């Protein structure tokens, strides 16, 4: 069968150009697939946790050929939007999130740990030095909604769920609650926001509460196929000490007041 290009001036040149265009288009398609980006959400006023977590996950995902972008919303909205697939996952959360968020899948390698702190006014004389004493104290207790460890430990003793730690400190300043409980994840952000509102946090008494909990990354179920590879990469970073070093470097660069 005769080639229809034969006998046409410049046929070879046109054939080469056509082939180059096809290859270029194929190459761009492959590159687009390789440059996959996941859009994650996280909670506001938690930079001491979310910034190191973003560094950890950026490195882990990049090793898989994936980039991430992160936006911050108030705690409940962040989980809500990740649950409903508006975003590809939640950057970092407690080991146990609210069971209503059934479309989020935990990546089972801890990104770190966090503890809890308690704030009271200086005039409070009652002994509330641990979780049990706080539970039976009959005091007005505020805790951020979604603080799973605090909710599990204190239950109905939490009389005032609040949006975040800063909101709790404002209520304490107004003498509307006696105690504010918050995690170390949001401690720095809450103190900074309180100072910015013109309230001096030094007027409160800060005490550590016992209990540590793990922090984990969650992906929407549509991205569940990434969990085995991402877990392997995070475990590698954990075993090498890289995750621990990221937390130490951040703490050194941002010492707590």
């Amino acid at each position: 069968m005769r080639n229809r290009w034969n006998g046409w001036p410049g046929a070879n040149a046109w054939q080469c150009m056509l082939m180059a265009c096809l290859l270029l288009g194929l190459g761009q398609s492959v590159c687009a697939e390789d440059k996959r980006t996941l859009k994650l959400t996280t909670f506001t006023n938690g930079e001491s946790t979310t910034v190191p977590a973003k560094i950890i996950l950026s490195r882990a995902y990049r090793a898989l050929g994936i980039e991430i972008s992160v936006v911050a919303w108030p705690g409940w909205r962040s989980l809500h939007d990740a649950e409903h697939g508006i975003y590809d996952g939640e950057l970092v959360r407690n080991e146990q999130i609210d069971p209503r968020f059934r479309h989020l899948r935990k990546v089972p390698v801890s990104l770190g740990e966090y503890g809890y702190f308690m704030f009271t006014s200086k005039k409070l004389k009652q002994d509330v030095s641990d979780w049990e004493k706080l539970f039976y104290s009959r005091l007005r207790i505020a805790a951020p909604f979604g603080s799973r460890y605090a909710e599990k430990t204190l239950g109905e003793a939490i009389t005032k769920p609040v949006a975040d730690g800063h909101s709790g400190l404002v209520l304490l300043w107004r003498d509307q609650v006696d105690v504010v409980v918050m995690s170390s994840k949001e401690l720095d952000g809450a103190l900074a926001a309180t100072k910015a509102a013109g309230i001096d946090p030094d007027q409160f008494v800060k005490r550590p509460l016992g209990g540590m909990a793990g922090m984990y990354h969650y992906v929407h179920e549509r991205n569940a196929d990434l969990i085995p590879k991402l877990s392997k990469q995070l475990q590698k970073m954990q075993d090498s000490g890289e995750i621990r070093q990221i937390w130490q470097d951040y703490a050194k660069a941002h010492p707590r007041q």
Side-chain angles (χ1 to χ4, degrees):
M1 182 176 179
R2 183 179 177 181
N3 188 328
R4 62 175 178 164
W5 297 96
N6 289 345
W8 186 48
N12 290 336
W14 275 100
Q15 286 176 300
C16 290
M17 289 176 63
L18 179 60
M19 182 62 69
C21 288
L22 289 172
L23 290 174
L24 179 61
L26 179 61
Q28 289 177 335
S29 175
V30 171
C31 289
E33 291 179 2
D34 288 344
K35 293 181 179 179
R36 178 180 178 184
T37 299
L38 293 185
K39 296 180 180 180
L40 307 176
T41 184
T42 192
F43 52 90
T44 53
N45 294 329
E47 287 77 9
S48 61
T49 294
T50 59
V51 172
K54 183 180 178 181
I55 295 172
I56 293 167
L57 289 171
S58 292
R59 293 183 185 179
Y61 272 114
R62 193 168 294 130
L64 305 181
I66 299 172
E67 297 295 324
I68 64 171
S69 63
V70 181
V71 297
W73 295 109
W76 178 260
R77 176 174 175 179
S78 176
L79 277 172
H80 173 276
D81 288 359
E83 161 71 11
H84 286 80
I86 298 173
Y87 295 95
D88 292 304
E90 173 77 22
L91 183 72
V92 58
R93 282 283 174 163
N94 310 352
E95 183 173 4
Q96 294 180 332
I97 60 174
D98 193 304
R100 286 175 288 181
F101 299 110
R102 62 183 183 278
H103 297 301
L104 295 179
R105 301 289 180 264
K106 182 173 69 177
V107 179
V109 179
S110 174
L111 303 182
E113 291 184 326
Y114 67 95
Y116 275 86
F117 290 86
M118 168 180 58
F119 288 83
T120 67
S121 67
K122 291 183 178 179
K123 66 182 180 181
L124 183 69
K125 303 303 181 182
Q126 188 171 342
D127 182 6
V128 286
S129 55
D130 57 43
W131 289 103
E132 184 176 7
K133 291 176 181 176
L134 191 57
F135 178 80
Y136 290 108
S137 68
R138 296 182 179 271
L139 294 171
R140 298 169 298 170
I141 302 172
F145 183 85
S147 299
R148 295 294 292 166
Y149 188 89
E151 291 174 345
K152 180 179 178 181
T153 305
L154 296 176
E156 295 182 357
I158 298 176
T159 58
K160 189 66 176 179
V162 291
D164 50 38
H166 163 61
S167 300
L169 291 177
V170 171
L171 293 181
L172 182 60
W173 176 68
R174 293 175 177 169
D175 197 26
Q176 294 178 332
V177 297
D178 303 304
V179 180
V180 179
V181 174
M182 72 179 74
S183 72
S184 58
K185 294 185 299 181
E186 58 184 327
L187 179 65
D188 294 340
L191 293 176
T194 302
K195 287 181 181 178
I199 302 172
D200 182 9
D202 290 338
Q203 67 185 285
F204 308 128
V205 177
K206 182 181 76 172
R207 300 185 180 94
L209 278 168
M212 297 294 291
M215 296 183 291
Y216 293 83
H217 175 46
Y218 290 80
V219 297
H220 189 269
E221 61 185 4
R222 67 169 176 263
N223 300 307
D225 61 300
L226 295 173
I227 293 178
K229 291 182 179 179
L230 183 60
S231 297
K232 184 177 181 180
Q233 183 61 32
L234 287 171
Q235 189 64 56
K236 180 180 178 181
M237 294 172 66
Q238 191 176 86
D239 293 342
S240 68
E242 184 176 358
I243 288 179
R244 181 174 63 254
Q245 189 62 51
I246 289 171
W247 286 103
Q248 290 176 349
D249 289 347
Y250 182 86
K252 183 177 180 180
H254 303 84
R256 283 182 169 164
Q257 301 298 322

